[in-house]
Amino acid sequence: MARKIVITSGKGGVGKTTITMGLGVALAKQNQKVLLVDCDFFLNNLDLLFGIRQANYDLTDVMNGSCRMNQAIYSHKKFQNLFILPSQKCGFNASFDKQRFFENICMVNADYDFILFDCPSGTHSDFFLATGVADEALVVVNPQISSMVVANKLVSILNSKFDGKLGIIINNMRFDMVRSRKMLSHEQIGNMLKLPLAGVISYFEEIESNMALYGQIDFSQKQISEQFNLLANNIYMGQNNIITPNKRIKIFSKIKKFFVGEGI
């Protein structure tokens, strides 16, 4: 059965969709069969990162009975173990029945090793739809006080459902600024949020430039690939490493056992 993980954040702009895609690619490279589900029904762009310019069917079509689940799931052209269920192609915010959404996900639960839900930021209806079907949660944060404050509020909401199966991913980390004490360290962030650290992704100018010019990211670039592979290893294999520009180091505390637990 698939491990169903929702990837969420307290505020927008922290790179949650990039993390979802990068983690999906890294897991697929480890021969894990991965389904990415875009649960942002208003500002969705996971399909853009995936390389889909025009989807014939999407999650909205599945939910209203216009197509079967497998008709709306698309395979990646390069990574054969990576699949996506895109959000709606129209521009309005759909309202779905939670039970029906859960039942549709259960239909493909046995077909994948991981199902990653790209969740909208905040706590609107789409947020509860995505968190309601997942078994584990990862909160994406930036190393900024404003991100910490909002994330802390989100964690208080998630704790009741994902007790013991909740972790954080730090995105856009600048280790040079950490050393000069101009940015929070991963230890400080972990202590502030009181959660296990699943991994750290550095700030990469290449990610921003590729998104701006092409709408996609080259996850095969060595440094980018290496960090997402470490993130995947932490989650899939229970390792507890991050990487700095100088050396690989163990994160401040051991990752809880749920990161290698089986999905329900």
Side-chain angles (χ1 to χ4, degrees), residues 179-199:
R179 286 193 295 268
S180 61
R181 299 186 179 182
K182 295 179 181 178
M183 180 173 283
L184 296 171
S185 68
H186 60 278
E187 293 99 338
Q188 290 173 314
I189 294 172
N191 290 333
M192 290 173 68
L193 295 179
K194 296 180 175 60
L195 287 175
L197 183 61

Side-chain angles (χ1 to χ4, degrees), residues 92-130:
F92 63 88
N93 192 9
S95 178
F96 293 148
D97 177 77
K98 291 182 182 180
Q99 182 60 32
R100 187 170 184 182
F101 180 68
F102 177 79
E103 290 171 355
N104 276 279
I105 295 300
C106 286
M107 290 174 60
V108 297
N109 193 31
D111 299 333
Y112 298 92
D113 299 301
F114 285 87
I115 300 178
L116 307 180
F117 300 91
D118 184 16
C119 181
S121 58
T123 56
H124 303 294
S125 58
D126 300 347
F127 166 84
F128 290 104
L129 186 73

Side-chain angles (χ1 to χ4, degrees), residues 7-9 11-23 49 138-145 147-148 151 167-175 177-178 183-186 189-190 193 197-205 207-208 211 217 219 223-224 227-228 231 242-243:
I7 299 174
T8 185
S9 64
K11 63 190 294 290
V14 298
K16 171 177 47 58
T17 298
T18 301
I19 293 293
T20 303
M21 188 69 192
L23 176 58
L49 280 182
L138 294 169
V139 178
V140 181
V141 299
N142 283 168
Q144 303 165 352
I145 289 295
S147 181
M148 296 301 98
I168 57 174
I169 298 173
I170 305 171
N171 190 34
N172 293 325
M173 176 66 83
R174 292 279 301 269
F175 291 100
M177 294 181 67
V178 172
M183 180 173 283
L184 296 171
S185 68
H186 60 278
I189 294 172
L193 295 179
L197 183 61
V200 175
I201 302 297
S202 299
Y203 169 80
F204 289 105
E205 186 177 344
I207 289 181
E208 287 197 2
M211 282 293 293
I217 301 170
F219 290 103
Q223 287 187 318
I224 298 176
Q227 292 195 21
F228 275 106
L231 174 62
I242 64 169
I243 196 165

Side-chain angles (χ1 to χ4, degrees), residues 217-244:
I217 301 170
D218 182 5
F219 290 103
S220 66
Q221 294 184 56
K222 183 178 179 180
Q223 287 187 318
I224 298 176
S225 175
E226 185 175 27
Q227 292 195 21
F228 275 106
N229 287 341
L230 281 178
L231 174 62
N233 288 342
N234 289 345
I235 293 171
Y236 169 47
M237 302 176 66
Q239 296 181 5
N240 57 340
N241 294 309
I242 64 169
I243 196 165
T244 72

Side-chain angles (χ1 to χ4, degrees), residues 75-94:
S75 58
H76 196 279
K77 294 179 180 179
K78 182 177 180 180
F79 304 102
Q80 63 179 4
N81 288 324
L82 187 60
F83 301 82
I84 183 176
L85 176 58
S87 183
Q88 59 184 5
K89 49 187 172 289
C90 46
F92 63 88
N93 192 9

